[in-house]
Amino acid sequence: MPPQHEPHRRRARVAFSEAAAKQLQEITSEAELHALDRALVVISVDPEAGDPLPGTTDGVPLRQYTDDVEQVRVLYFVTALRTVVVVAYIEV
């Protein structure tokens, strides 16, 4: 009998707020782009990977994902349709 596998989960769509899009345009380092890309992949695979920020219980909670290896922090929220909206990309 073949092994049981978890059902395939679709990645969340990632969108950027105006502020985050502006930050993206200002990235000139390939290392920074790689670090951000790595963090976005983690969040798109598991939108709950980040920690909820305190004081954001009204409406859609803002989350923070920190990757200590790549020295990156991303602030985002997840919509009801499982779209990850990046509010800001902040280099740690």
Side-chain angles (χ1 to χ4, degrees), residues 13-34:
R13 186 175 147 251
V14 176
F16 297 91
S17 70
E18 191 174 315
K22 186 175 180 179
Q23 285 182 305
L24 269 177
Q25 291 175 345
E26 295 173 1
I27 295 176
T28 57
S29 162
E30 197 168 314
E32 287 179 359
L33 193 57
H34 172 77

Side-chain angles (χ1 to χ4, degrees), residues 30-57:
E30 197 168 314
E32 287 179 359
L33 193 57
H34 172 77
L36 176 59
D37 189 49
R38 176 184 160 116
L40 293 176
V41 166
V42 170
I43 295 169
S44 72
V45 170
D46 181 9
E48 304 298 315
D51 300 315
L53 290 176
T56 59
T57 55

Side-chain angles (χ1 to χ4, degrees), residues 3 5 7 10 16-17 23 28 30 34 41 45-46 50 53 56 58 62 68 71-72 74 76 80 84 87 92:
H5 296 285
R10 193 182 89 208
F16 297 91
S17 70
Q23 285 182 305
T28 57
E30 197 168 314
H34 172 77
V41 166
V45 170
D46 181 9
L53 290 176
T56 59
D58 297 341
L62 197 57
D68 294 327
Q71 300 297 302
V72 144
V74 177
Y76 67 99
V84 173
V87 176
V92 176

Side-chain angles (χ1 to χ4, degrees), residues 4-9:
Q4 295 286 331
H5 296 285
E6 283 187 39
H8 179 68
R9 288 179 44 175

Side-chain angles (χ1 to χ4, degrees), residues 42-92:
V42 170
I43 295 169
S44 72
V45 170
D46 181 9
E48 304 298 315
D51 300 315
L53 290 176
T56 59
T57 55
D58 297 341
V60 180
L62 197 57
R63 300 182 76 80
Q64 168 182 268
Y65 173 76
T66 304
D67 183 329
D68 294 327
V69 173
E70 294 288 347
Q71 300 297 302
V72 144
R73 184 169 69 159
V74 177
L75 301 179
Y76 67 99
F77 65 89
V78 182
T79 68
L81 296 176
R82 199 173 143 91
T83 297
V84 173
V85 179
V86 176
V87 176
Y89 155 69
I90 303 166
E91 189 173 358
V92 176

